[in-house]
Amino acid sequence: LWWSMSMLSIENPCLLTELTRQAIPQISKNLLKELELLAWGVATSRSGSKILTAIQDDMATRMPNDGINLGLSACILRQTVCAVLWACCFAGQLSERFRSAAVRLAQTTQSA
């Protein structure tokens, strides 16, 4: 829904507030690829900063320092993280914690 609204340039504050309220508690239940799509949709919205923060926090938590085992190939995982990184940068909402986790991911999976 958020993606569709972004593509149509719809900014309905009441609807976006309700979407945010319902989405944030569900973030950790989503697959990383689903979070990637959500991040892309939210990145173009002026109302998406809370969602982007929640996505980054969740993904940084899922990426431990000592390697990754999230059911994705290293290549797909790097692509997913880069896409979320891009979306957050585009929105001007990139957190240092997520950026650092993405750097560690790149370093630990570079040979995979």
Side-chain angles (χ1 to χ4, degrees):
L1 185 57
W2 205 306
W3 173 261
S4 298
M5 290 176 59
S6 294
M7 294 299 97
L8 296 172
S9 299
I10 297 172
E11 289 282 337
N12 181 324
C14 292
L15 181 56
L16 294 175
T17 298
E18 183 59 22
L19 283 173
T20 299
R21 187 187 69 73
Q22 290 186 27
I24 288 178
Q26 303 295 322
I27 293 286
S28 64
K29 297 175 184 172
N30 286 278
L31 300 173
L32 293 182
K33 290 300 282 180
E34 293 168 339
L35 295 180
E36 173 190 346
L37 295 174
L38 180 59
W40 279 67
V42 170
T44 61
S45 172
R46 288 173 277 156
S47 304
S49 65
K50 288 181 182 178
I51 296 278
L52 286 176
T53 298
I55 290 170
Q56 292 177 87
D57 287 347
D58 181 71
M59 288 183 73
T61 299
R62 293 192 206 188
M63 293 186 289
N65 292 332
D66 59 345
I68 309 302
N69 186 9
L70 298 172
L72 296 173
S73 72
C75 181
I76 297 296
L77 182 57
R78 283 192 304 265
Q79 289 174 357
T80 301
V81 170
C82 284
V84 173
L85 189 90
W86 180 91
C88 293
C89 284
F90 179 81
Q93 298 290 326
L94 181 62
S95 75
E96 179 58 30
R97 180 174 180 233
F98 182 68
R99 189 200 66 76
S100 295
V103 168
R104 282 191 306 276
L105 172 71
Q107 292 169 339
T108 60
T109 63
Q110 65 186 349
S111 62

